[in-house]
Amino acid sequence: MKKSLVLGTLLLGASAFGFELTSSGIENGYIKEKYGQYGTENIKGMPSLSLPLEWKGVPEGTKSFALVMQDYDAIPVTGFSWIHWVAVIPGSYTKLEENASLTNKDIIQGVNSWISSMGGLSKAEASHFGGPAPPDKEHTYEITIYALDKEIKLENGYYLNELYKEMEGHVLDSATLEGVYKTK
């Protein structure tokens, strides 16, 4: 009886946490400066040093992951939610190293909002991580990873709506992480 109670508690405890996303680039709820406008890495003014990310509790049957990073606090300033990073990640991965956006050739990346007239970058330049650069005040950034039951077949430079169409009906689970970027 005791043995099955302990086993049941362990199993419940493990599944209670589910799919989880973390980043050592976010401390006490704040994104470290180097991953945004105060960092030294950039592509024509777009912060380009991507955050390290790690996930666990991956659902059984996962064949790929989709990653979306957005800034909803940008809506009053730009008129739309600013897309910072869109990526398709192989299903065998459980983390992305710092700067994976520029160094990892296994991830397929879509365009971010730096392609807009407000960012002015080309499609190729904007098909990477485009870090936080809030123009008015601190903004909260939402990073969501989706576990998918199929491999997504898109080419670098796709748009977020194309990814969402490919994902429809194939999301096993998702995990979201938020981080605030400070302004000086």
Side-chain angles (χ1 to χ4, degrees), residues 4-95:
S4 63
L5 183 60
V6 170
L7 183 59
T9 303
L10 287 174
L11 289 173
L12 254 178
S15 64
F17 292 105
F19 193 31
E20 185 179 353
L21 178 64
T22 59
S23 176
S24 60
I26 299 174
E27 286 184 350
N28 300 317
Y30 285 90
I31 297 170
K32 292 180 182 178
E33 282 187 0
K34 68 180 182 175
Y35 300 110
Q37 66 189 0
Y38 304 119
T40 57
E41 309 288 325
N42 70 78
I43 298 171
K44 294 185 179 175
M46 175 186 77
S48 62
L49 181 66
S50 60
L51 291 155
L53 297 169
E54 193 164 348
W55 50 96
K56 60 184 178 182
V58 175
E60 192 173 319
T62 298
K63 296 207 169 48
S64 66
F65 298 97
L67 179 76
V68 179
M69 179 177 174
Q70 292 190 73
D71 172 10
Y72 294 101
D73 289 334
I75 294 170
V77 181
T78 63
F80 54 90
S81 169
W82 194 274
I83 302 163
H84 286 272
W85 199 9
V86 183
V88 174
I89 306 162
S92 59
Y93 278 46
T94 56
K95 67 180 178 178

Side-chain angles (χ1 to χ4, degrees), residues 20 49 77 89 113 123 128 135 139 181:
E20 185 179 353
L49 181 66
V77 181
I89 306 162
S113 292
K123 190 172 190 179
H128 297 94
H139 284 207
Y181 195 77

